[in-house]
Amino acid sequence: MYVHCMVNRFEIEGEEVLDGEVKPFGNSAHVTVPKRWRGAAVKVVRTSEPTEQDD
């Protein structure tokens, strides 16, 4: 089976970038950011394939 993976490139203007990992949270998942970011607008970009699959 051949799987073709296309990578998209996004250009985003912003103030700060963090690298992180998505963690399980109940029936969902979350990314933790610094408390000082509260109330700020953010964008989340997935940069790799998920390692876990939903049950």
Side-chain angles (χ1 to χ4, degrees):
M1 178 175 162
Y2 175 74
V3 177
H4 179 69
C5 179
M6 292 189 62
V7 176
N8 293 313
R9 181 177 174 89
F10 298 94
E11 185 173 320
I12 302 170
E13 291 186 19
E15 300 294 324
E16 191 172 1
V17 174
L18 293 177
D19 288 323
E21 181 180 340
V22 179
K23 307 271 177 120
F25 186 76
N27 290 332
S28 185
H30 74 242
V31 177
T32 302
V33 298
K35 190 182 260 188
R36 68 181 184 278
W37 285 23
R38 283 188 302 190
V42 300
K43 297 183 185 309
V44 177
V45 177
R46 182 172 52 86
T47 58
S48 68
E49 290 296 321
T51 57
E52 296 182 14
Q53 299 298 321
D54 292 340
D55 294 335

